[in-house]
Amino acid sequence: MEFRTLRAFVEVVRQGGFSSAAKVVFATQSTVSKAVKQLEHEIGLPLLDRLGHRVTLTAAGEIVYRRALRLLAERDDLTAELAELRGLKRGTLRLGLPPIGSGVLFAPLVAVYRQRHPEIEIRLVEHGSERLNELLEAGDIDFAGLLAPIAQEFAQQAVRSEPLMALLAPGHPLAGRDTLRLGDLRDTPFILFESGFTLNRIILEACRRDGFEPTVVARSSQIDFIAGLAGAGLGVAFLPRMIATQRTQVPISLVLLDAPGTEWSMAMAWRRGAYLSPAGDAWLALLRETWSEVS
C-alpha cells in the first residue's frame, strides 16, 4: 500500500469523482482510476460504489478512508518535522563539558550557537574527562570536551593547549621561582581534583616518571576551593595557565611547571563515523569555524 494510492482514493472521495480528483493530484483520470483499483485489489474488497459519475463509500471504503486520512496526516507531520530538523528549527544538541576550562573555552561558543539556532535544545552534562569519555562511547552525548590523548574511535577538533602552573602559598620556599620541576615538589603535599579527572592522571604519571609518588592531602571538584587550599598553604595544586591566572581571589603564587608530557591539551571529540543530527552538524561547523587554525 502506497501513499500515492491512498492520496488518490482520498481525493476521489473528497471531490466526489475521478475527474475532479485527477485535477487535485495533478494526474490523469485514468491514472487515478487505476490507483483506486490497485488499492481495492490489495485490500480485497470494493471501496467505492460507482453510480454513473458519482461515487459513494462502501463499508470497507469508510474504514479505509478514515485510516487513510490519519496516515496521510502522519506523513505530512513527519515531512514537516524532518524539514524543521534540516532547517534547525528543532532538535537537541547533547554536550559533555569538563569543569576545567569550559567557562573560558566553551561558554562563549554555546552562546553563539544559541544565538544562531534558538530553537535547538542544548543539553549540557559536566564531568571529568574519564566519565565524559564513557558517555561519548556509549552514545549518551554527541560531543565531549576531552583532554589528550584521545581514543582512536573518536574524531576530534583541537581547541587549545596550555602548560600547567603550580599554585603555591606566597610563603612557600619555591614560590619565587620562574619555573620548577615536579621533582622539586616531592616533599610538598599535592592537592588534586576528584577521581575521574584526566588532569590527575597526567600529573601522577609525570611524578612517577620522575621517580616518586606524591602525598595527596586533599581532593575537590571545585577549582576555586583547590586554589584557596593551595593559597592557604595546604600544598601545591596544578591548573592550566589560562585558568590559573584567573585565580586572583586569594593571595597565591603561580610558577610555570617545567615537566614534559604535562601539557593540558583540550579537544572537542565525537564518535568517528557516527551519525550526526543537523544540530550536531551545526555545532561541528561552529567548532571548525572557531578553531580551524588549531593543530
Side-chain angles (χ1 to χ4, degrees), residues 24-237:
V24 173
V25 299
F26 302 102
T28 64
Q29 182 174 334
S30 175
T31 299
V32 172
S33 179
K34 288 179 181 178
V36 173
K37 286 181 180 179
Q38 178 184 338
L39 185 60
E40 289 178 322
H41 177 74
E42 290 179 13
I43 292 172
L45 292 169
L47 303 178
L48 297 172
D49 281 332
R50 296 162 176 83
L51 303 173
H53 296 293
R54 295 179 58 252
V55 293
T56 59
L57 287 169
T58 64
E62 289 180 356
I63 295 173
V64 174
Y65 179 71
R66 186 170 62 251
R67 295 285 184 172
L69 289 176
R70 294 177 185 173
L71 287 171
L72 291 171
E74 288 291 333
R75 193 267 319 261
D76 291 342
D77 288 345
L78 172 62
T79 301
E81 286 192 27
L82 293 176
E84 287 184 346
L85 276 177
R86 286 191 292 269
L88 292 175
K89 293 182 179 179
R90 67 168 60 192
T92 303
L93 177 66
R94 303 173 301 169
L95 293 180
L97 301 179
I100 305 175
S102 291
V104 176
L105 296 176
F106 300 121
L109 206 64
V110 170
V112 171
Y113 184 88
R114 179 68 178 175
Q115 186 177 43
R116 292 184 181 181
H117 311 294
E119 303 301 323
I120 301 298
E121 178 187 358
I122 302 174
R123 296 180 185 172
L124 298 175
V125 296
E126 187 180 62
H127 291 287
S129 287
E130 293 181 12
R131 178 58 178 156
L132 291 179
N133 192 94
E134 295 172 358
L135 292 174
L136 185 60
E137 187 177 21
D140 293 332
I141 53 178
D142 303 313
F143 294 88
L146 302 179
L147 288 183
I150 291 174
Q152 287 296 315
E153 62 262 33
F154 299 144
Q156 61 178 291
Q157 169 62 52
V159 174
R160 187 156 176 166
S161 184
E162 289 276 323
L164 293 182
M165 301 200 80
L167 283 65
L168 295 164
H172 192 280
L174 301 174
R177 300 268 295 270
D178 292 328
T179 64
L180 54 79
R181 298 178 180 274
L182 280 170
D184 300 328
L185 295 164
R186 66 175 62 242
D187 296 325
T188 301
F190 278 35
I191 304 165
L192 298 179
F193 283 90
E194 296 283 5
S195 60
F197 282 70
T198 300
L199 183 57
N200 291 348
R201 177 175 54 79
I202 292 173
I203 293 168
L204 293 175
E205 288 179 355
C207 289
R208 290 163 190 150
R209 289 195 297 270
D210 274 6
F212 75 101
E213 192 75 24
T215 300
V216 180
V217 292
R219 294 177 182 268
S220 174
S221 61
Q222 302 299 316
I223 295 176
D224 287 338
F225 187 54
I226 285 177
L229 292 176
L234 187 65
V236 60

Side-chain angles (χ1 to χ4, degrees), residues 208-284:
R208 290 163 190 150
R209 289 195 297 270
D210 274 6
F212 75 101
E213 192 75 24
T215 300
V216 180
V217 292
R219 294 177 182 268
S220 174
S221 61
Q222 302 299 316
I223 295 176
D224 287 338
F225 187 54
I226 285 177
L229 292 176
L234 187 65
V236 60
F238 302 91
L239 287 174
R241 180 173 54 189
M242 71 172 191
I243 306 299
T245 53
Q246 297 179 351
R247 304 303 109 185
T248 58
Q249 297 91 333
V250 296
I252 200 164
S253 292
L254 306 178
V255 183
L256 187 66
L257 186 64
D258 181 11
T262 60
E263 292 77 14
W264 182 85
S265 298
M266 176 63 66
M268 185 63 73
W270 62 97
R271 287 176 295 146
R272 192 182 300 276
Y275 167 77
L276 284 180
S277 67
D281 281 333
W283 175 253
L284 182 55

